[in-house]
Amino acid sequence: MPKIPDSIVPAPLRKPAKPGQSGAPKGQAPADLKASPPERPTHVERLTDQAKDAPADVLAWVDQRTAASGFLTGMLYRKVPKGTNWFYTLGSATLFAFIAQAVTGVFLAMFYTPSTTQAYASIAHINNEVPLGQLVHGMHKWGASVMVILIFLHMGRTFFFGAYKYPRELNWEIGVVLLILTMLMAFTGYLLPFDQRSFWASVVGININGTGPIVGPYLSDFLRAGPELGATTLARFYAIHMLLVPGAIIALIGAHMYLVVKLGTTAPPWTKIAKPKVAAPTAQLDAGVAGNGAEPNGASPAA
Ligand code: HEM
């Protein structure tokens, strides 16, 4: 093929000259650089370039000090089994519901007053006067039901797909504790508006706990925090609802996710395991017949 003259090839596509073969005498700049030397970037251009590189620089700075990129790459690019489907998104959906509850809960806590005389009024204030208050309160209230539904669906998926079996028993047990804690969140949150419905529902719930064997009476005494449901009960429920249980849930979700990444997820039970290709016995190879039915030279036997 005839050589394309350098003059018609755009500069970035030209093959770089070997050192000392640029045509220019040794130690001198090539002719085209002499004719039109590159313009030095202005101060503003240099600042713009630095600003563009800033996110990558910050990430590189953090990575040098934490070596987190190895873990993140392993987690984000991990292999998932063949047949993984939409049912596998229920765990992440539960996680998302929890995060939504945590974020909306923080904003509600900025306006809520955990007092028997002011709790109801503070919720009315959130709903009627705080900008977007009704939306955030509604998201938190309905989000609680969404999370409970999702956690049960996720548990059902792991149960019916046999994901509780070896080696994932511990993750199942962590899940059971997460389920109990989620129910406890829903139960303690229900009392917080302190209206008639939440008051009597909590009385019923505490009494039901009291009927449990051995620990039942102690549990109901602990929850009621006194002979009658009142100010101390509300304070206790609030502390459990916004400090104790969310903290435990966050820690357990961390352990749950660690095990999911470490062990990988299970394949759906109906997935057929691919049969390993059996190596052809040596006698067959000697006779010129390959184990997978193909001729030793790669040609199909039918051909
Ligand atoms: C806050 C509650 C929970 C969150 C945020 C959560 C999150 C997740 C996520 C994201 C996964 C991986 C993706 C998937 O399989 O869906 C997973 C897997 C798993 N979860 Fe949960 N989960 C929760 C509660 C539970 C509960 C209540 C159980 C059972 C009692 C459970 C048992 C499991 C098991 C056994 C796996 C492994 C599944 C497999 O290997 O195929 N989780 N979880």
Side-chain angles (χ1 to χ4, degrees):
M1 204 175 113
K3 192 173 178 294
I4 303 168
D6 266 357
S7 52
I8 60 165
V9 179
L13 298 181
R14 265 178 233 157
K15 194 177 167 191
K18 283 188 190 142
Q21 290 184 0
S22 61
K26 222 177 174 187
Q28 282 187 26
D32 51 349
L33 270 184
K34 266 186 182 171
S36 55
E39 276 179 27
R40 300 188 73 190
T42 62
H43 185 61
V44 177
E45 279 169 345
R46 253 183 286 136
L47 279 180
T48 320
D49 284 349
Q50 276 176 9
K52 278 185 198 155
D53 290 342
D57 287 346
V58 171
L59 287 180
W61 189 92
V62 174
D63 190 40
Q64 272 177 358
R65 281 147 189 89
T66 58
S69 65
F71 167 76
L72 285 176
T73 331
M75 190 182 81
L76 295 173
Y77 292 95
R78 70 185 192 277
K79 289 196 169 126
V80 292
K82 211 174 169 186
T84 296
N85 55 33
W86 281 97
F87 291 115
Y88 288 75
T89 58
L90 289 166
S92 311
T94 316
L95 179 61
F96 181 80
F98 174 71
I99 294 170
Q101 288 303 96
V103 173
T104 49
V106 166
F107 286 104
L108 290 178
M110 290 179 190
F111 298 94
Y112 173 75
T113 317
S115 129
T116 45
T117 50
Q118 291 167 43
Y120 185 74
S122 70
I123 301 256
H125 171 67
I126 290 172
N127 283 337
N128 301 327
E129 280 141 60
V130 176
L132 297 178
Q134 197 174 17
L135 176 73
V136 175
H137 181 218
M139 282 173 72
H140 196 77
K141 185 175 161 177
W142 290 99
S145 303
V146 170
M147 186 174 169
V148 171
I149 293 169
L150 285 173
I151 200 171
F152 272 105
L153 290 176
H154 170 59
M155 185 175 71
R157 196 288 284 171
T158 51
F159 177 75
F160 287 115
F161 283 32
Y164 56 86
K165 294 180 193 168
Y166 176 85
R168 297 182 182 78
E169 303 95 322
L170 182 61
N171 219 13
W172 172 267
E173 279 148 18
I174 292 174
V176 171
V177 181
L178 278 169
L179 179 73
I180 295 170
L181 291 178
T182 304
M183 303 303 283
L184 190 57
M185 282 297 273
F187 179 59
T188 49
Y190 206 82
L191 177 68
L192 301 185
F194 220 73
D195 54 11
Q196 287 291 330
R197 186 170 48 177
S198 65
F199 180 92
W200 292 109
S202 302
V203 170
V204 172
I206 291 172
N207 289 346
I208 292 175
N209 273 289
T211 61
I214 307 167
V215 287
Y218 298 103
L219 194 57
S220 67
D221 278 353
F222 169 75
L223 287 171
R224 204 183 305 101
E228 296 292 335
L229 196 152
T232 355
T233 325
L234 183 61
R236 188 161 293 192
F237 271 46
Y238 189 48
I240 294 174
H241 185 78
M242 70 168 285
L243 290 172
L244 191 68
V245 180
I249 290 185
I250 290 169
L252 286 173
I253 287 182
H256 199 64
M257 291 298 89
Y258 171 79
L259 287 179
V260 167
V261 174
K262 190 90 187 154
L263 303 173
T265 45
T266 43
W270 54 82
T271 310
K272 289 198 176 68
I273 298 167
K275 278 190 192 151
K277 277 187 185 156
V278 181
T282 5
Q284 278 187 8
L285 285 175
D286 291 343
V289 183
N292 56 8
E295 293 300 314
N297 61 5
S300 147

